[in-house]
Each structure stands twice: as structure tokens, then as C-alpha cells.
Amino acid sequence: MEITLETKIYDLLKEYPFMEDKLIEINPKFKKLKNPVLRRTVARIASIKQAAIVGGMDPVDLLNKIRKEVGLEPIDIKIETKKSEEIPDWITKEPVEILDGNKLLEEGKNPLAHINKIIKNLKSGEIILLKTDFKPEPLIEEFRKKGDEVYCVKESDKEYLTYIKA
């Protein structure tokens, strides 16, 4: 299996089950991979690059640590870093719903599916606020692919606020 920044975490763990514990050793934030709901849902859409962002790591550094663990040579690649986003005007609106993403996962719920159900009932321009203790990069990209506007800000070391506009 070739392992790149775009390799899905689910596929990596399916091919190399021992990597679950290794990933947690690399970054304790990855202990959420022990959650069966996250494993069945978010891990299927999360790439190594996105997982690195969730873990607050350099994506190439995580990639090469994974490659080393499975016996592959490191890759010397450069990735473009995004400039910080401007704060959109629409986040000044009051969210119609505020969700605790960590609590959803603890309750065995799929945050992506849960938010999608809520968005279906929103009026255009209404906002949902998702609070997590990590940047939910895979979810952000999924909502953007669907055409939703998303803005995420690190509020503190323990809280990210992700605004999703219908």
C-alpha cells in the first residue's frame, strides 16, 4: 500500500491495525481513534493530511512518521500552507443550534450525519456552531464540498469553534 497525504486513516488502519496504537504514541490527540463511531465514520473520510491538522501537526511530519512505522522511506514534499481566512460577516449572526462535537462522539453519534440532518431543516443563511477540542478538518472539507460556507477558529488550546452556514 502506498501511503500519501491523501491516504484515508480508515484504509491505513485496515491495512496496518498496529498503527492505531502507534498513532496515539505519535500524538495523544489521536486517542479518539479508539471511539468506534469515529472509526466507522470520520476515519473513512479523514486523510493523513487532515488528521495531522486535527492533531495540530505538520502533515508531512505525520506522513513520514507513519511511513517509517510501516517500513517505507520518508517522502520529501512541500505543501502550501493556507493563509489565514478572513472572518466572514455572517458569523456575527446568532447560531440556531450549538453542538458539542465531543459529546456527540461520546454518545456514539456521527457528528457529520447529525449536522447534516439539522442543516436540512435550516433556512438559507442560518448557522450551526460546532464546538470541539480539535479542528474538525475532515468535517469542514465535507461541508465545503457540499457548498456550505464554513469558518473555524481556535478559541483556546482546548476549544475550536466551527461555524456552518446553510
Side-chain angles (χ1 to χ4, degrees), residues 23 26 30 48 51-52 57-66:
L23 284 169
I26 291 169
F30 296 145
I48 289 174
M57 297 180 69
D58 174 80
V60 176
D61 184 43
L62 177 60
L63 172 65
N64 283 326
K65 285 179 179 183
I66 291 169

Side-chain angles (χ1 to χ4, degrees), residues 96 118-124 126-128 164-166:
V96 294
I118 294 169
I119 284 180
K120 286 180 186 176
N121 297 315
L122 295 182
K123 295 175 187 149
S124 181
E126 289 185 321
I127 297 166
I128 294 173
I164 305 154
K165 180 182 168 192

Side-chain angles (χ1 to χ4, degrees), residues 19-37:
M19 281 304 299
E20 179 180 313
D21 291 331
K22 291 293 182 187
L23 284 169
I24 295 167
E25 281 177 34
I26 291 169
N27 188 327
K29 287 185 178 183
F30 296 145
K31 70 179 181 255
K32 287 181 176 21
L33 288 170
K34 297 268 186 201
N35 180 314
V37 173

Side-chain angles (χ1 to χ4, degrees), residues 97-102 104 111 114-115 118 128-132:
E97 188 139 2
I98 299 173
L99 302 169
D100 181 334
N102 298 321
L104 288 172
H114 189 78
I115 295 169
I118 294 169
I128 294 173
L129 173 58
L130 175 66
K131 294 182 177 187
T132 53

